Amino acid sequence: MVQPLLLGHIIIFALSAIACVAAIPQARKIQHPGTREGFVVFLGSVALWSGGYIGYLLAPTRSGKVAFYILGFVFAFIAVGAWLYFCAAYTGRPPRHAPFRKLILGTFLFFTVLKVTNPLHNLYFTAEWVTEPFPHLVIRHELLYWIVLGLSYAAIAVGFFVLMERFYHTGSDSRPLVVLVGLSGLPAVATIIGGQVDWLLPLMYEPPGVALFAVGTLFFYRQRFEGIRLTGESDKPAIFLDQETCVRDYNQAARRLFPALEESFGKPLTAVNTALADHLTKQDVLAITQNDETRYYDVSSTPFVAGEVTTGQLVTVTDVTERESYRKRLEEKTEQLEALNRVVRHDIRNDMAVILGWAEILEEHIDEDGEEALERVLQKSRHVIQLTEVARDFVESLSEDEDAELKPIELQPLLDAELAAVRDSFPDAQFQVSGDLPDVSVLANEMLSSVFRNILENAVRHNDKEVPEITISCEEDSDTIRVRIADNGPGIPDNQKDQIFGKGKKGLDSPGSGIGLYLVHLLTQQFGGKVWVKDNDPNGSVFVVELPKVG
């Protein structure tokens, strides 16, 4: 009877130690760093805890037994800290950011020192050698032991609580892990009553429960264990799928969004929601209607990898209803803007061209008193036609993608063409070129002409001199070229030099549309260049357009 009792205790703790050590390689495969670290240290400390008890039972001398018992005693305390670390990390509470970390560590070290030095003060336990029911060292726990044990159990209970909370927020597939966690706590009963039962020694019997939990979670319910962590760490609807895209777990948010998940464990995702399954490989949003309300969701998938093998995936569903509604409003406004552009380009432009044509015919049939009025009609007609061109270019610039398709554009013929056009439109103005226009190409597209046309026309329209004088010159370096367009107008105050390129800014009491220079700004940005204005000498302004060269 004596040897079987001793042997039974040795076997229990030996199996516990072996199970924890065997589970460590599996724990090291856990992807989440905090969970992995906490679980590995937890298993290692429990293995050493069990080893200390085995040494206590087998050591032939009193001093050896006390030393091994203290060893197990210390690692039992370490296991409590590792358990809390593991539970916090697993449930999304970063343990490294826990409050009062230094105080907790200091308290842990203080009690550890008291345990190691117990032979000097006997505050934790006293020991007495007895021969019944077999020769062994009887440990009698003192008050400090029970105080520390109570505090340890309180800390362990916190870990149990956060685990159960996480299990609650996942699908029904968490039940096996709930059972494992519950069973792992049962040996605590043996710890508490060990001193009152003849066939139990006054030891802590938690290692077998830990071994059961480790083997169960890492060898039998590994995917569920990892899946619950993944699905539970986000407030967004999350579903864990296996290799065959069958449902293995989900959180409560996902169940509320997809009620069919309730009875879906082991079923393919297509049986839950065909549209959701289809959107695993689609880029567009998923529309879901509930209670006569339609909301929109982005569906993303994160692979779950063991080694180099993909064993599952985490599907996360993000509500993007506000973003999608805003996108739809933008699409509607863009369609309206394009419709307006068609009206401006076709109807208004065509009608104004007819008006201009008839007005030009009247030039030969009107007397001297009406010449000034007719000239104003002609000027305004040409200006309205020019505005339709600006509006067209403006809408086209807004319709371009963020990364507009650019290509080499020869700068000299483009500037020559724009100069010819403005000379025809403004015969009373003087346009000249200072130096030679360089034979270079810049990175842009066909709308580059609109940049220079708007600046040149702007320089005439805002000029207060009887004869507007516009001078074009160029400066270049190895990477860029700067086109300078100088005028002899009133100039632009310093506090408006940046503002004039903003949407709706019209400069100095301008009768214009307010979009010409804004269009210049948008286009030069698309070309990878920039535009700015500075003072001319002795008066007027200089608009500088800098563009990247090609070749």
Side-chain angles (χ1 to χ4, degrees):
M1 183 66 181
V2 173
Q3 292 305 320
L5 183 59
L6 175 62
L7 183 62
H9 279 77
I10 294 173
I11 290 174
I12 288 174
F13 289 110
L15 290 176
S16 301
I18 292 171
C20 289
V21 171
I24 288 177
Q26 293 295 317
R28 290 174 61 86
K29 296 178 183 178
I30 295 174
Q31 288 185 310
H32 186 247
T35 303
R36 180 177 63 248
E37 295 165 359
F39 211 165
V40 168
V41 174
F42 179 55
L43 294 174
S45 58
V46 172
L48 291 171
W49 175 5
S50 299
Y53 280 178
I54 294 172
Y56 156 74
L57 294 171
L58 294 179
T61 64
R62 174 190 175 94
S63 59
K65 288 181 178 295
V66 169
F68 275 112
Y69 183 83
I70 291 176
L71 176 69
F73 203 22
V74 169
F75 278 102
F77 200 40
I78 294 175
V80 173
W83 166 257
L84 281 178
Y85 189 101
F86 155 72
C87 292
Y90 182 77
T91 56
R93 300 169 171 86
R96 295 183 185 276
H97 300 147
F100 310 113
R101 296 186 303 280
K102 293 183 179 180
L103 177 61
I104 294 172
L105 181 61
T107 303
F108 170 82
L109 292 175
F110 173 74
F111 283 112
T112 300
V113 170
L114 284 180
K115 289 185 176 186
V116 173
T117 59
N118 185 79
L120 301 177
H121 50 70
N122 295 322
L123 293 176
Y124 271 108
F125 65 88
T126 57
E128 179 184 357
W129 188 271
V130 298
T131 57
E132 295 295 335
F134 56 85
H136 68 285
L137 191 68
V138 174
I139 303 296
R140 291 187 174 85
H141 297 130
E142 302 298 332
L143 179 62
L144 184 59
Y145 167 86
W146 295 108
I147 292 174
V148 173
L149 182 65
L151 294 175
S152 298
Y153 277 171
I156 292 170
V158 171
F160 274 108
F161 174 79
V162 296
L163 279 184
M164 292 299 185
E165 181 186 41
R166 172 52 53 91
F167 294 157
Y168 172 78
H169 286 291
T170 59
S172 59
D173 197 27
S174 63
R175 288 177 295 182
L177 295 179
V178 172
V179 173
L180 281 174
V181 171
L183 291 176
S184 67
L186 286 180
V189 178
T191 299
I192 296 172
I193 66 173
Q196 286 74 44
V197 178
D198 292 339
W199 48 272
L200 289 176
L201 297 178
L203 303 174
M204 289 183 285
Y205 289 89
E206 284 77 7
V210 173
L212 178 64
F213 176 75
V215 171
T217 55
L218 297 177
F219 288 93
F220 294 97
Y221 298 104
R222 167 84 183 278
Q223 279 199 344
R224 300 188 190 188
F225 174 73
E226 288 271 44
I228 287 172
R229 184 191 66 77
L230 290 168
T231 56
E233 69 180 1
S234 174
D235 292 333
K236 301 176 182 177
I239 305 170
F240 183 60
L241 307 177
D242 61 17
Q243 287 175 301
E244 287 74 34
T245 66
C246 292
V247 177
R248 290 300 172 189
D249 209 349
Y250 53 87
N251 60 9
Q252 295 295 328
R255 185 186 61 79
R256 288 191 294 269
L257 186 60
F258 304 103
L261 281 171
E262 189 125 16
E263 304 295 334
S264 66
F265 175 68
K267 296 180 181 179
L269 187 61
T270 51
V272 175
N273 190 292
T274 304
L276 175 61
D278 291 341
H279 275 73
L280 291 181
T281 55
K282 288 183 178 180
Q283 297 299 320
D284 57 334
V285 297
L286 171 66
I288 298 177
T289 302
Q290 289 182 334
N291 301 322
D292 297 326
E293 179 187 13
T294 300
R295 301 193 69 81
Y296 299 91
Y297 299 87
D298 265 344
V299 180
S300 61
S301 175
T302 304
F304 177 63
V305 180
E308 297 182 356
V309 179
T310 300
T311 59
Q313 57 183 312
L314 177 68
V315 178
T316 305
V317 183
T318 305
D319 192 326
V320 293
T321 302
E322 290 188 8
R323 188 194 74 188
E324 186 66 12
S325 299
Y326 180 67
R327 185 188 66 81
K328 287 181 178 293
R329 290 196 299 271
L330 285 181
E331 284 184 351
E332 292 176 359
K333 290 184 179 298
T334 301
E335 291 176 359
Q336 295 167 358
L337 194 59
E338 290 175 350
L340 176 61
N341 185 38
R342 287 193 295 271
V343 171
V344 169
R345 290 177 59 186
H346 295 93
D347 299 348
I348 297 178
R349 180 180 172 83
N350 291 342
D351 287 349
M352 288 307 304
V354 172
I355 293 173
L356 181 61
W358 283 106
E360 289 174 344
I361 293 175
L362 289 177
E363 284 184 294
E364 299 178 358
H365 304 283
I366 199 164
D367 57 27
E368 186 175 342
D369 293 338
E371 285 181 358
E372 183 178 355
L374 179 60
E375 181 60 29
R376 291 184 179 180
V377 170
L378 291 172
Q379 287 181 357
K380 290 301 182 181
S381 297
R382 294 187 184 104
H383 182 54
V384 170
I385 292 174
Q386 187 270 335
L387 286 180
T388 64
E389 294 174 352
V390 173
R392 174 201 62 198
D393 292 345
F394 180 68
V395 172
E396 288 180 0
S397 73
L398 293 180
S399 301
E400 290 281 352
D401 295 334
E402 283 190 19
D403 298 324
E405 184 176 348
L406 306 180
K407 60 183 180 181
I409 300 291
E410 293 185 17
L411 185 61
Q412 181 180 353
L414 184 142
L415 288 175
D416 287 338
E418 292 306 316
L419 279 170
V422 292
R423 284 182 178 128
D424 288 341
S425 299
F426 304 98
D428 294 334
Q430 293 183 3
F431 296 92
Q432 58 185 354
V433 177
S434 176
D436 296 326
L437 296 178
D439 184 15
V440 299
S441 295
V442 296
L443 194 63
N445 57 30
E446 289 79 2
M447 295 192 70
L448 178 60
S449 60
S450 184
V451 171
F452 295 113
R453 183 170 66 251
N454 275 283
I455 295 178
L456 289 168
E457 292 179 351
N458 186 75
V460 177
R461 287 200 173 92
H462 298 296
N463 203 303
D464 58 353
K465 300 297 189 294
E466 184 176 348
V467 178
E469 296 177 1
I470 316 299
T471 303
I472 297 180
S473 61
C474 294
E475 300 174 349
E476 62 175 312
D477 54 31
S478 58
D479 298 320
T480 62
I481 184 164
R482 289 174 292 281
V483 180
R484 296 163 45 90
I485 301 175
D487 63 64
N488 63 339
I492 299 173
D494 290 340
N495 61 358
Q496 293 187 24
K497 283 184 169 64
D498 292 329
Q499 298 177 8
I500 60 171
F501 296 105
K503 183 178 180 181
K505 299 298 181 183
K506 301 182 182 180
L508 301 175
D509 300 321
S510 168
S513 65
I515 62 174
L517 291 180
Y518 181 53
L519 174 63
V520 169
H521 169 69
L522 286 179
L523 291 174
T524 51
Q525 272 196 331
Q526 288 182 1
F527 302 153
K530 53 186 177 180
V531 61
W532 66 91
V533 63
K534 58 184 183 179
D535 294 332
N536 195 13
D537 185 20
N539 51 50
S541 302
V542 180
F543 281 80
V544 184
V545 178
E546 183 179 86
L547 297 168
K549 290 168 53 177
V550 177

